[in-house]
Amino acid sequence: MKIDSGSTAWMLTSTALVLLMTPGLAFFYGGMSRAKSVLNMMMMSFVSIAVVGMAWVVYGYSLTFGDGGGLSSFIGGFGDWGLVGLENAATADDGTGIPQLVFVAFQATFAIITVALISGAVADRAKFGAWVVFTLVWATLVYFPIAHWVWWSDGQDGGKSGWLFHLGALDFAGGTVVHINAGVAALALVLVLGKRKGWPKEPMRPHNLPFVLLGAGLLWFGWFGFNAGSALSAGSTAAVAFINTLVATCAAAFAWIVVEKLRDGASTTLGIASGVVAGLVAITPACAFVTPLGAIVLGLVAGAVCAFAVGLKYKLGYDDSLDVVGVHMVGGIVGALLIGFLATTAVNDAGADGLFAGGGFALLGKQAVAVLATLAYSFVVTYVIAKVIDLVMGFRISEDDEAAGIDSTAHAETAYDFGTIRAGIGSGAGIGSGATAAAPAPAAPAKKVEAKG
């Protein structure tokens, strides 16, 4: 098939958009964490890009989208390891009109952000070296297999495919593969590492809400590539996914702050940012299978449910630092299951009709199987991986390091160095000048002046 330059340009753009989501996530998580651990939190996202990006090229793409022979229902093979033979591929990928390497790069960004999402659950207390090992092992044993189950097919009628693909479960852009997978993995990791020192008695509020809003905005921007890019072409399916990504997110953000207002008496910036992410999560599996009105309904449900779900950690006693479980696992489940109610082939004949479109409960049953399979496999394997890493090298920092702040103890840096900033007339150097002159002697205390009026 001839390369379609328009679709190729859209997919290259979408790939860049999805990659931007991980730095966006770094700002989102970094703002939600405490000032003494913001750099570590952001580093966990950036190192996920580095490690998973290399692993994807060496063997991850092959295991995910390769033919595994007799095991092809569950995992791919090593036929495309290192992308050997694909470097100068001039043919289109599976009839989509885009070069194979564009698809490879696009899917790499999905693997990267899925791993990075987990990090928010263990803010303040995970050893950086242990996290690096975890990213590689988890991507290999959990992400690559589940992505293969859901998305791989050899493209032949009656041919081979992943077992959930063969079942007919729908996941357009990663509700099960990315969000439920990362959310339940976060729960398993939290149970291994335990609670932060002082949680929940001590307040551990977000240190920089503007960072949180910036991160949510970058995520929303990048998510258009995440969802609409999953159409793999610039056409009507991408258009449906694009508008649904917009309106479902609007609805979820609104629903979240309404719940806050009714429950707590105030709508917050953290709430609307969290609602944005909850809506993006929930619409991800359904974005090409529901109408825009269906997307609004889905978003309203997801925003309200996730607003309540983030409080479960206090009732059940697990310290999910930045609400990965309440937003990504729960939001992903909501989105995946609502496909069974709201999906319609009037939007996309490659999908199926849900209950409200006259399709009965068949699709809902398939969605439930995909959800349960992802929850069970990811939780069990993640728990084992985390336990082994903890036994071999230790996964948690010491209490002293946690109290001092993981930024300074693990990275020898701090995000905010207020102590070096000096100002005053005649000091001999302006802020940021790079001067190294000795600091002037402290001035005499000024007289206290009471404010008037």
Side-chain angles (χ1 to χ4, degrees):
M1 181 177 177
K2 184 179 178 181
I3 297 297
D4 185 314
S5 60
S7 291
T8 300
W10 166 238
M11 291 309 301
L12 288 169
T13 302
S14 294
T15 301
L17 286 170
V18 183
L19 181 61
L20 180 64
M21 289 171 65
T22 301
L25 181 73
F27 273 101
F28 184 74
Y29 280 172
M32 289 178 69
S33 58
R34 291 183 285 180
K36 63 183 180 179
S37 60
V38 55
L39 294 180
N40 175 258
M41 195 71 262
M42 299 180 85
M43 273 285 284
M44 291 171 84
S45 287
F46 275 87
V47 81
S48 299
I49 300 175
V51 174
V52 180
M54 290 189 290
W56 182 257
V57 168
V58 175
Y59 62 88
Y61 173 76
S62 189
L63 287 178
T64 305
F65 290 101
D67 189 336
L71 297 174
S72 59
S73 292
F74 303 101
I75 193 66
F78 289 98
D80 292 321
W81 73 273
L83 308 183
V84 175
L86 300 181
E87 299 93 339
N88 298 307
T91 57
D93 173 64
D94 298 329
T96 61
I98 62 173
Q100 184 86 4
L101 286 183
V102 175
F103 179 73
V104 173
F106 180 66
Q107 287 296 333
T109 61
F110 280 64
I112 287 166
I113 196 167
T114 305
V115 175
L117 286 172
I118 302 170
S119 65
V122 293
D124 299 326
R125 60 199 188 278
K127 286 183 178 178
F128 186 69
W131 169 255
V132 172
V133 173
F134 177 83
T135 61
L136 181 62
V137 178
W138 189 87
T140 303
L141 299 182
V142 181
Y143 180 83
F144 299 159
I146 291 180
H148 182 86
W149 299 353
V150 176
W151 285 336
W152 180 74
S153 169
D154 64 6
Q156 305 297 320
D157 290 337
K160 298 177 182 178
S161 62
W163 74 274
L164 287 176
F165 185 100
H166 179 76
L167 178 69
L170 300 179
D171 183 357
F172 189 73
T176 50
V177 176
V178 176
H179 298 291
I180 298 175
N181 192 6
V184 74
L187 178 60
L189 193 54
V190 162
L191 295 179
V192 173
L193 265 69
K195 306 171 186 178
R196 286 169 291 178
K197 185 179 170 141
W199 187 89
K201 295 180 180 179
E202 296 179 11
M204 298 182 181
R205 299 184 182 92
H207 92 284
N208 192 323
L209 288 170
F211 267 22
V212 176
L213 291 171
L214 173 63
L218 289 171
L219 283 167
W220 198 347
F221 179 69
W223 223 290
F224 288 109
F226 198 78
N227 286 355
S230 292
L232 303 183
S233 64
S236 58
T237 301
V240 170
F242 199 102
I243 188 64
N244 285 344
T245 300
L246 173 65
V247 295
T249 308
C250 294
F254 180 75
W256 191 299
I257 60 174
V258 169
V259 168
E260 278 192 324
K261 180 65 176 177
L262 296 175
R263 182 186 61 196
D264 308 323
S267 299
T268 68
T269 53
L270 178 61
I272 200 165
S274 299
V276 163
V277 177
L280 292 167
V281 168
I283 195 58
T284 291
C287 59
F289 303 125
V290 301
T291 65
L293 287 177
I296 291 175
V297 172
L298 185 150
L300 290 171
V301 173
V305 170
C306 289
F308 286 108
V310 295
L312 289 176
K313 63 184 181 181
Y314 298 106
K315 295 181 179 179
L316 300 179
Y318 61 89
D319 183 11
D320 172 17
S321 305
L322 308 183
D323 300 322
V324 183
V325 177
V327 173
H328 292 276
M329 188 187 84
V330 174
I333 291 172
V334 169
L337 293 181
L338 283 181
I339 290 175
F341 294 93
L342 299 171
T344 171
T345 52
V347 171
N348 185 350
D349 58 12
D353 286 321
L355 181 64
F356 297 159
F361 288 97
L363 180 58
L364 180 60
K366 295 173 183 178
Q367 295 304 112
V369 170
V371 168
L372 292 173
T374 303
L375 288 170
Y377 180 82
S378 183
F379 181 86
V380 171
V381 179
T382 303
Y383 191 88
V384 172
I385 292 170
K387 271 292 187 185
V388 171
I389 292 175
D390 192 39
L391 290 171
V392 172
M393 61 187 298
F395 214 137
R396 180 162 182 158
I397 61 175
S398 69
E399 284 194 4
D400 289 342
D401 286 352
E402 187 176 342
I406 195 169
D407 285 356
S408 59
T409 58
H411 305 292
E413 296 175 304
T414 56
Y416 309 102
D417 195 1
F418 296 114
T420 62
I421 298 176
R422 298 180 182 275
I425 298 174
S427 64
I431 296 174
S433 68
T436 58
K447 291 182 180 180
K448 182 178 180 182
V449 179
E450 294 186 5
K452 303 223 183 236

